[in-house]
């Protein structure tokens, strides 16, 4: 099994997970790279993406596992062929083998940019810092069985907030991404819930790196 490290940026962030899967399957075909298929009544191509993202979220560190019927001599050639067949905003950074087991994936770094059309409200930065220093921050979360409450504080390893312009605040955090997981947008949900006067007009969200249980970069 091979693994590709890829990024999804720009307008490509609005491609859903299922459409992204279809995009890669077609890219392999256009690139002349034949995927192996599962056995059985309804064979499926051997391609999967770890940790599906919410629509609108970008990433610099997505993982795609796949297997080919015939492997080219160079893994760099697979990378090049795929990038020639993909759309702008989706780019394979590296193809390699011997990737870590996905069960060891534990944390991710995320960057959220909170945009305010009329400028950051007065004392907004300080109020956000106080909010995320609380010992508990229960936030409503939509799950398979309806709405549940999730305390996000135990799932945050570290968090920093900074003003990057007169109309933007940036949250950089390392959070749990598996067993249990925290959607980065839950950080914004906490702002909307506890500080509605600081609710942003628009949010940009991006995963920047992923880590194993020892907080070493996961590949």
């Amino acid at each position: 099994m091979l693994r590709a490290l890829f990024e999804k940026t720009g307008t490509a962030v609005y491609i859903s997970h299922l459409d992204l899967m279809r995009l890669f399957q077609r890219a392999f075909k256009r690139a002349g790279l034949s995927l192996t298929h599962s056995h059985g009544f309804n064979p499926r191509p051997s391609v999967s993406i770890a940790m599906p993202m919410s629509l609108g979220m970008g990433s610099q560190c997505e993982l795609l596992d796949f297997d080919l019927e015939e492997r080219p001599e160079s893994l760099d050639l697979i990378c090049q062929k795929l990038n020639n067949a993909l759309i702008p905003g989706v780019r394979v950074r590296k193809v390699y083998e011997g990737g870590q087991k996905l069960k060891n994936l534990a944390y991710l770094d995320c960057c959220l940019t909170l945009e305010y059309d009329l400028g950051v409200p007065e004392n907004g930065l300080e109020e956000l810092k106080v909010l995320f220093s609380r010992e508990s921050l229960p936030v409503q979360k939509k799950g398979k069985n309806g709405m549940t409450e999730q305390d996000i504080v135990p799932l945050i390893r570290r968090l920093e907030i900074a003003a990057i312009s007169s109309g933007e605040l940036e949250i950089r955090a390392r959070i749990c991404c598996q067993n249990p997981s925290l959607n980065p947008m839950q950080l914004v949900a906490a702002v909307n819930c506890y500080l509605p006067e600081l609710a942003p007009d628009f949010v940009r969200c991006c995963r920047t790196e992923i880590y194993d249980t020892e907080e070493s970069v996961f590949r």
Side-chain angles (χ1 to χ4, degrees):
M1 187 71 73
L2 296 174
R3 178 169 290 171
L5 174 69
F6 73 95
E7 61 184 35
K8 188 172 79 160
T9 59
T11 56
V13 302
Y14 297 106
I15 300 175
S16 70
H17 173 68
L18 291 179
D19 285 338
L20 186 63
M21 289 287 292
R22 297 186 187 101
L23 171 66
F24 268 107
Q25 290 172 18
R26 292 167 182 165
F28 276 102
K29 186 174 292 187
R30 287 194 295 268
L33 300 168
S34 299
L35 293 166
T36 60
H37 286 70
S38 62
H39 301 287
F41 182 75
N42 185 25
R44 296 180 180 276
S46 56
V47 57
S48 62
I49 297 175
M51 296 194 310
M53 285 186 291
S54 301
L55 191 68
M57 186 182 297
S59 179
Q60 301 169 2
C61 53
E62 294 305 285
L63 300 178
L64 176 89
D65 286 343
F66 64 96
D67 200 14
L68 299 175
E69 291 183 355
E70 294 184 9
R71 187 178 301 185
E73 294 181 4
S74 170
L75 297 180
D76 289 338
L77 182 59
I78 298 177
C79 184
Q80 179 183 338
K81 286 186 173 183
L82 283 175
N83 283 329
N84 289 338
L86 288 166
I87 64 171
V90 181
R91 184 180 71 89
V92 176
R93 295 172 54 189
K94 183 180 181 181
V95 173
Y96 57 99
E97 54 186 339
Q100 295 174 255
K101 294 182 179 180
L102 293 178
K103 67 178 183 180
N104 295 326
L105 187 54
Y107 307 104
L108 66 82
D109 283 347
C110 60
C111 176
L112 298 108
T113 304
L114 283 55
E115 299 182 3
Y116 298 88
D117 294 342
L118 300 179
V120 177
E122 187 176 0
N123 299 321
L125 177 60
E126 291 72 20
E127 290 186 36
L128 284 184
K129 289 181 177 179
V130 171
L131 174 68
F132 286 106
S133 66
R134 294 187 185 185
E135 294 184 0
S136 177
L137 271 179
V139 177
Q140 290 292 311
K141 176 183 178 181
K142 187 176 182 179
K144 295 180 179 179
N145 299 318
M147 299 300 294
T148 59
E149 194 170 72
Q150 179 185 43
D151 185 1
I152 66 174
V153 169
L155 305 180
I156 301 173
R157 298 287 289 179
R158 62 192 66 165
L159 185 144
E160 298 177 350
I161 310 172
I164 58 174
S165 75
S166 61
E168 297 176 310
L169 295 176
E170 183 179 81
I171 300 175
R172 289 187 173 271
R174 181 167 298 175
I175 60 177
C176 295
C177 65
Q178 195 168 231
N179 302 321
S181 65
L182 175 63
N183 186 323
M185 291 304 293
Q186 287 295 92
L187 301 176
V188 182
V191 176
N192 295 342
C193 176
Y194 294 97
L195 296 173
E197 68 278 9
L198 288 178
D201 295 296
F202 187 73
V203 178
R204 300 195 308 273
C205 180
C206 183
R207 294 174 178 171
T208 57
E209 192 53 275
I210 49 179
Y211 303 91
D212 61 19
T213 55
E214 303 298 322
E215 292 192 61
S216 299
V217 172
F218 184 96
R219 290 294 182 267

